[in-house]
């Protein structure tokens, strides 16, 4: 349940000291932390630490310790360079199986772009054959006493295949913080592409024998490149680096790597020079690089869960952590194909857009007949396209405002039909179904659905010369107040209840986002009913006065302290 939190637990990891009295470790070691303590090698005392910066995207965190005694006899490590293939590296940390420091030696097997397990983001990684076990995460990988990476994960169902975060990613993390006083993250062009390895395709796009590149198949509208690149352009080079037909660029020696590597050295808002071929004409364009944006978030660490319970209907925003909780680590193969398509390939058309799911229907007299409906996308409420949870909350408030509870909670009045009810109504503490005026945040965390232990320990990695402990704590909030107005008077407010980013043609743009959403013939003009249009051509209709009457009972029945997340209050 999104309103419940798992009990606190301890997680152990490693770390190392760098200049400026800072400690580096893995982001997954301190994810969801409420208390962090560190112990240096050879000292039994544990010192309180705090998180200064964390980059969950690259799985790196920076810690600080205020106690001066901790820094006595500690010397910072310096950074080296990315090692060559077959070169030796040494991993230092505190893996499970003992309390003392552990040193393992391995050989560099591969250097390439990999998908990081903690964030599902593709960045440069180094594969080694040294043993990296639980507890090693965050520990330094050394070569000639210089840090060339951070141990962070292993390959499931394989032996002696571990991965370290290369020094180039670490330096990008540190430089980003130095430039902006905070961590912004890595940037992308904002395009989708495919290789041009077919001779027919090369001839079709008028490429000469010397020209190589990749075909731009989609330009994402929310990125800066949308005004300069077009579908059908051939991307030939980035900052003078020639792109091969398979999408790789020269790395070093005889090694090649995906052209995303050329972007990993840049920062948000940096300008990138591109050479493209458009309809047989070669040209150069300057493109500003943007932060990666996803329709369905790949990770939601260190954020509280958002949810909305309306008359027993539980709504959440789709995220990849939610998919993992519902369908397991192999959710990409086990989950319904419609949800997988949205989670993996959904395109963000609006900055505030979310995929809203009816997560489950709480069994009660009010929801009889709907109990088996679960994990279906919500498209519209009473014909109004829904942008995100915040928008959904506003729409439901406007729809339910005309109905309120009098002094007798069993008597439901309609403000539009009973003028006396307007004179006697009072703002009462109640749930969203009876008209609360809260707002739901559109970017919150649903990982409380799953055990935090699973979230952290699924990534078999953690530690190095500093042992880190993290704990999580539960949270609680209070309800909000409500008001009532005439449904007719607020019909236009319902249309305007979407955030300002909708624009003047908001309804059209939202409908275009959800393909196939024409006017639903099942939407009948019944002002005392609320109509939910869902995926798989399903609908749910509820009698608003009945919903207002039974909602408090449903909340008590399922021990739900409040009908919405804290950010609604």
């Amino acid at each position: 349940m999104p309103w419940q939190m798992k009990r606190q637990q301890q997680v152990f990891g490693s770390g190392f000291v760098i200049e400026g009295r800072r400690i580096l470790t893995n982001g997954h070691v301190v994810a969801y932390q409420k208390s962090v303590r560190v112990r240096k090698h050879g000292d039994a005392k544990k010192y309180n630490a705090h998180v200064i910066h964390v980059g969950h995207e690259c799985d790196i965190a920076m810690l600080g310790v205020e106690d001066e005694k901790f820094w006595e006899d500690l010397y910072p490590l310096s950074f080296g360079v990315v090692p060559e293939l077959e070169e030796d590296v040494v991993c230092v940390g505190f893996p499970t199986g003992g309390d003392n420091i552990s040193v393992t030696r391995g050989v560099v097997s591969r250097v390439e772009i990999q998908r990081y397990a903690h964030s599902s983001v593709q960045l440069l990684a180094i594969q080694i054959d040294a043993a990296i076990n639980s507890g090693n995460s965050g520990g330094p990988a050394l070569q000639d006493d210089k840090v060339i990476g951070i141990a962070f994960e292993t390959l499931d169902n394989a032996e002696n295949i571990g991965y370290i975060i290369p020094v180039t990613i670490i330096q990008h993390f540190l430089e980003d913080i130095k430039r902006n006083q905070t961590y912004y993250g890595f940037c992308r062009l904002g395009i989708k592409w495919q290789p041009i390895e077919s001779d027919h395709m090369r001839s079709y796009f008028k490429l000469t024998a010397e020209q190589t590149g990749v075909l731009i198949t989609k330009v994402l509208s929310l990125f800066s490149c949308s005004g300069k690149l077009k579908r059908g352009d051939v991307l030939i080079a980035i900052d003078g680096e020639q792109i091969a037909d398979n999408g790789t660029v020269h790395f070093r020696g005889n090694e090649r790597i995906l052209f995303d590597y050329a972007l990993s050295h840049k920062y948000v808002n940096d300008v990138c020079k591109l050479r493209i071929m458009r309809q047989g004409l070669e040209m150069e364009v300057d493109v500003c690089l943007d932060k990666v944006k996803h329709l369905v978030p790949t990770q939601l660490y260190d954020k509280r869960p958002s949810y909305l319970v309306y008359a027993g209907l539980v709504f959440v925003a789709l995220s990849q952590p939610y998919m993992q909780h519902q369908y397991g680590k192999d959710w990409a193969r086990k989950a319904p194909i419609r949800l997988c398509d949205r989670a993996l390939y959904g395109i963000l058309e609006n900055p505030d857009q979310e995929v809203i799911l009816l997560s489950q229907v709480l069994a009660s007299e009010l929801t009889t007949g709907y109990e088996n409906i679960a994990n279906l996308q919500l498209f519209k409420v009473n014909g109004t396209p829904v942008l995100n949870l915040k928008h959904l909350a506003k729409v439901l408030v406007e729809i339910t405002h005309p109905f309120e509870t009098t002094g007798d909670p069993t008597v439901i009045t309609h403000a539009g039909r009973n003028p006396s009810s307007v004179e006697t109504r009072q703002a009462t503490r109640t749930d969203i179904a009876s008209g609360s005026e809260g707002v739901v945040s559109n970017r919150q965390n649903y990982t409380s659905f799953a055990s935090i232990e699973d979230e952290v320990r699924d990534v078999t990695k953690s530690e190095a010369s500093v042992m880190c402990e993290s704990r999580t704590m539960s949270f609680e909030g209070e309800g909000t107040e409500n008001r009532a107005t005439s449904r007719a008077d607020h019909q236009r407010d319902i249309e305007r209840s979407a955030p300002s980013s909708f624009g003047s043609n908001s309804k059209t743009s939202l409908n275009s986002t959800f393909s196939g959403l024409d006017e639903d013939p099942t939407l009948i003009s019944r002002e005392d009913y609320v109509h939910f249009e869902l995926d798989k051509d399903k609908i749910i209709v509820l009698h608003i006065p009945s919903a207002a009457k039974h909602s408090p009972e449903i909340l008590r029945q399922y021990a739900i302290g409040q009908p919405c997340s804290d950010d609604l209050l």
Side-chain angles (χ1 to χ4, degrees):
M1 299 296 184
W3 48 86
Q4 296 175 339
M5 296 294 288
K6 299 294 182 180
R7 63 178 298 173
Q8 69 180 23
Q9 63 173 310
Q10 289 183 335
V11 177
F12 297 92
S14 303
F16 59 95
V17 175
I18 63 172
E19 64 177 358
R21 290 193 169 187
R22 298 171 295 177
I23 300 171
L24 291 187
T25 185
N26 278 145
H28 70 262
V29 174
V30 298
Y32 309 110
Q33 57 78 30
K34 289 298 180 182
S35 173
V36 181
R37 290 181 294 171
V38 298
R39 176 176 66 87
K40 59 184 179 180
H41 177 54
D43 189 350
K45 182 179 179 180
K46 296 179 180 179
Y47 298 83
N48 290 324
H50 58 277
V51 177
I52 303 175
H53 299 285
V54 60
H56 288 295
E57 179 184 30
C58 59
D59 202 2
I60 303 176
M62 180 190 294
L63 308 181
V65 178
E66 295 182 357
D67 196 326
E68 292 291 332
K69 292 183 179 180
F70 174 80
W71 300 104
E72 294 178 359
D73 301 323
L74 284 181
Y75 301 95
L77 292 174
S78 58
F79 293 106
V81 297
V82 176
E84 299 286 341
L85 297 179
E86 299 184 358
E87 288 187 346
D88 291 338
V89 296
V90 174
C91 292
V92 183
F94 294 87
T96 56
D99 292 330
N100 289 326
I101 197 168
S102 170
V103 179
T104 57
R105 185 179 300 274
V107 173
V108 175
S109 307
R110 183 181 297 164
V111 180
E112 65 178 4
I113 301 292
Q114 291 280 352
R115 186 178 298 276
Y116 284 24
H118 183 61
S119 63
S120 296
V121 175
Q122 290 187 326
L123 293 170
L124 188 67
I126 301 174
Q127 178 183 320
I128 60 175
D129 62 2
I132 296 179
N133 300 308
S134 178
N136 270 120
S137 292
L142 304 173
Q143 188 178 67
D144 298 329
D145 295 330
K146 292 187 178 181
V147 177
I148 52 89
I150 300 176
F152 77 120
E153 66 183 27
T154 60
L155 184 64
D156 288 341
N157 302 319
E159 294 184 1
N160 294 333
I161 296 182
Y163 294 95
I164 61 178
I165 302 170
V167 63
T168 53
I169 301 296
I170 303 173
Q171 290 171 335
H172 186 284
F173 172 79
L174 297 174
E175 179 64 24
D176 196 5
I177 294 172
K178 181 179 179 180
R179 288 187 180 195
N180 306 300
Q181 309 306 312
T182 187
Y183 175 73
Y184 279 151
F186 290 81
C187 47
R188 292 291 187 271
L189 273 180
I191 62 172
K192 291 183 178 293
W193 59 273
Q194 75 176 71
I196 306 181
E197 297 178 307
S198 166
D199 290 337
H200 303 282
M201 186 175 288
R202 290 180 53 83
S203 175
Y204 181 80
F205 287 103
K206 302 179 181 180
L207 292 176
T208 65
E210 294 77 22
Q211 291 175 323
T212 59
V214 294
L215 177 66
I216 297 176
T217 59
K218 177 79 174 180
V219 179
L220 305 183
S221 59
L222 296 183
F223 283 77
S224 301
C225 66
S226 60
K228 297 186 177 181
L229 299 178
K230 296 181 179 180
R231 171 179 165 86
D233 288 346
V234 177
L235 181 58
I236 297 176
I238 295 181
D239 284 336
E241 192 72 38
Q242 187 73 25
I243 300 176
D245 292 331
N246 62 355
T248 62
V249 295
H250 178 262
F251 179 43
R252 60 186 183 182
N254 294 325
E255 297 178 71
R256 300 192 66 84
I257 197 167
L258 286 176
F259 72 83
D260 287 341
Y261 172 74
L263 302 175
S264 65
H265 299 292
K266 294 186 174 293
Y267 300 86
V268 176
N269 295 327
D270 279 359
V271 175
C272 184
K273 293 186 178 297
L274 307 179
R275 191 162 77 251
I276 64 173
M277 174 79 75
R278 178 176 298 167
Q279 297 180 355
L281 298 177
E282 193 170 318
M283 61 183 68
E284 291 190 355
V285 294
D286 293 340
V287 173
C288 184
L289 299 177
D290 301 293
K291 181 85 172 78
V292 180
K293 308 178 185 73
H294 299 281
L295 174 62
V296 176
T298 58
Q299 50 90 7
L300 296 165
Y301 296 110
D302 301 332
K303 297 178 182 178
R304 293 182 175 181
S306 279
Y307 65 90
L308 175 62
V309 182
Y310 179 86
L313 309 181
V314 182
F315 296 99
V316 299
L318 180 63
S319 66
Q320 290 193 16
Y322 176 84
M323 293 283 282
Q324 181 173 339
H325 166 68
Q326 292 289 301
Y327 305 103
K329 292 180 65 176
D330 197 20
W331 60 265
R333 291 198 302 172
K334 296 180 179 179
I337 190 169
R338 295 191 182 193
L339 292 184
C340 288
D341 180 68
R342 289 164 176 78
L344 297 174
Y345 308 111
I347 302 298
L348 194 68
E349 303 290 349
N350 187 295
D352 298 318
Q353 183 183 348
E354 292 177 333
V355 176
I356 303 302
L357 290 187
L358 174 60
S359 174
Q360 60 180 310
V361 178
L362 303 178
S364 68
E365 179 182 349
L366 179 65
T367 59
T368 299
Y370 301 135
E371 301 94 332
N372 295 327
I373 298 179
N375 288 331
L376 292 183
Q377 183 176 352
L378 173 67
F379 291 130
K380 295 181 180 181
V381 177
N382 279 12
T384 300
V386 177
L387 181 69
N388 51 41
L389 272 178
K390 180 178 180 180
H391 181 214
L392 174 61
K394 290 183 177 182
V395 171
L396 290 176
V397 165
E398 295 296 339
I399 290 174
T400 57
H401 268 160
F403 302 90
E404 64 176 350
T405 305
T406 64
D408 181 355
T410 64
V411 179
I412 306 297
T413 61
H414 188 298
R417 295 177 180 174
N418 186 358
S420 63
S421 67
V422 179
E423 300 173 1
T424 59
R425 66 174 177 256
Q426 295 180 351
T428 58
R429 215 171 191 77
T430 183
D431 58 274
I432 187 69
S434 55
S436 64
E437 280 203 66
V439 171
V440 179
S441 168
N442 62 329
R443 283 186 292 272
Q444 296 296 326
N445 174 25
Y446 300 91
T447 49
S448 63
F449 291 151
S451 165
I452 297 176
E453 179 177 0
D454 292 337
E455 287 289 330
V456 176
R457 298 192 181 183
D458 275 347
V459 191
T460 49
K461 44 227 165 187
S462 37
E463 28 261 69
S465 47
V466 180
M467 300 191 68
C468 307
E469 304 177 41
S470 61
R471 292 186 173 88
T472 59
M473 299 179 63
S474 60
F475 61 92
E476 58 185 10
E478 300 179 352
T480 56
E481 296 185 349
N482 69 326
R483 62 182 176 88
T485 60
S486 168
R487 181 190 183 98
D489 291 343
H490 287 273
Q491 189 60 38
R492 291 185 178 179
D493 290 337
I494 295 176
E495 300 296 334
R496 298 193 184 112
S497 59
S500 59
S501 58
F502 273 24
S504 58
N505 298 321
S506 61
K507 197 164 185 178
T508 302
S509 63
L510 276 178
N511 273 319
S512 64
T513 300
F514 305 124
S515 58
L517 283 188
D518 298 323
E519 195 65 33
D520 189 350
T522 66
L523 183 60
I524 303 173
S525 180
R526 292 292 302 273
E527 63 179 12
D528 54 343
Y529 279 82
V530 57
H531 175 287
F532 298 92
E533 185 177 339
L534 305 167
D535 198 6
K536 293 187 176 179
D537 300 320
K538 301 287 186 181
I539 67 166
I540 288 180
V541 292
L542 293 174
H543 187 233
I544 297 177
S546 299
K549 176 180 178 181
H550 291 285
S551 286
E553 177 185 340
I554 295 175
L555 297 179
R556 288 193 300 270
Q557 179 183 353
Y558 287 89
I560 305 175
Q562 57 195 43
C564 53
S565 50
D566 280 354
D567 38 22
L568 179 66
L569 306 178

